[in-house]
Amino acid sequence: MRKIITLILLFVVLLPSQVLAATSTSTVDKLYFESYKDQVKEVKDAQKKLNDIYCTNVKALTEKAKASTTRYNNAVKSKATKDVLAKVKAERDLDKKTLSSAKAKCSATVKALKKKSDTALKEIASYKAKVVTTIKNHLDGKDKLTEDNFTESVYKSLSEIESKFDAILDSLSAD
């Protein structure tokens, strides 16, 4: 009976202390990665602005296509000659084709840049997870790193993450 009570007391005392001793991921995030979510949000915002950067001619071409369509419709309503209709129709068709081509090029460029930046974000998240594990292990005393080596390692990792975010933002803003 004494052994059972002793075991129960050990579980009651030791188990919670072991659970409390473990460093949580949220604690590590707050201490070391305070700007991470802001940087991810900044990349997502930059992705949303890609159309404005790479599709500047689409708006002008849309207006031009609308204007040529209106001219064609007015020519049809006014029963213009075949030559005038053919000329206006050819202009309208050319404007629509140019607009379609510009939209396709814009869409492909934006899609490729978003895919590239999303892949880079996934790589950063994976790297961050490894760094978090390293930090947690050190804070829980499960590694052999000295405090100086740990600090240097964390600084290098955080600098690398920061440089990767900068590279993504550079690739999204100017190509």
Side-chain angles (χ1 to χ4, degrees):
M1 185 72 165
R2 264 188 168 173
K3 287 182 180 182
I4 294 175
I5 292 174
T6 306
L7 283 174
I8 291 174
L9 283 174
L10 283 174
F11 283 123
V12 169
V13 172
L14 290 179
L15 192 58
S17 66
Q18 290 297 321
V19 170
L20 293 174
T23 306
S24 71
T25 303
S26 63
T27 303
V28 172
D29 280 345
K30 286 177 187 173
L31 292 174
Y32 295 94
F33 298 100
E34 58 199 32
S35 65
Y36 180 80
K37 288 182 181 178
D38 293 335
Q39 290 173 314
V40 171
K41 187 177 185 299
E42 190 177 352
V43 169
K44 293 296 184 182
D45 289 344
Q47 285 178 337
K48 290 177 185 174
K49 295 177 184 174
L50 286 175
N51 281 335
D52 296 339
I53 296 171
Y54 292 97
C55 304
T56 55
N57 62 341
V58 171
K59 187 174 183 179
L61 291 173
T62 300
E63 293 301 319
K64 187 176 178 184
K66 285 181 182 178
S68 63
T69 299
T70 302
R71 279 194 297 280
Y72 174 75
N73 290 339
N74 289 340
V76 169
K77 286 180 184 176
S78 67
K79 298 182 181 181
T81 64
K82 287 184 180 182
D83 291 337
V84 171
L85 279 176
K87 182 180 175 186
V88 175
K89 183 179 180 193
E91 180 184 343
R92 179 197 68 176
D93 292 345
L94 178 64
D95 289 345
K96 283 185 175 184
K97 185 177 180 181
T98 305
L99 174 62
S100 176
S101 173
K103 281 183 176 179
K105 181 180 177 187
C106 169
S107 177
T109 302
V110 168
K111 184 177 179 181
L113 287 170
K114 280 185 180 180
K115 185 176 181 179
K116 181 180 174 184
S117 61
D118 283 339
T119 302
L121 282 175
K122 287 178 185 175
E123 289 172 3
I124 290 173
S126 174
Y127 182 71
K128 177 187 172 258
K130 290 177 185 176
V131 172
V132 167
T133 303
T134 303
I135 292 170
K136 285 173 60 174
N137 286 340
H138 179 76
L139 295 177
D140 292 341
K142 295 179 181 176
D143 67 357
K144 305 286 188 223
L145 289 175
T146 64
E147 202 59 39
D148 288 340
N149 289 343
F150 170 74
T151 303
E152 183 180 335
S153 172
V154 169
Y155 177 75
K156 284 181 182 179
S157 298
L158 294 176
S159 296
E160 188 171 338
I161 289 172
E162 185 74 30
S163 67
K164 288 180 180 185
F165 273 116
D166 290 343
I168 293 171
L169 289 171
D170 286 345
S171 72
L172 291 177
S173 61
D175 230 22

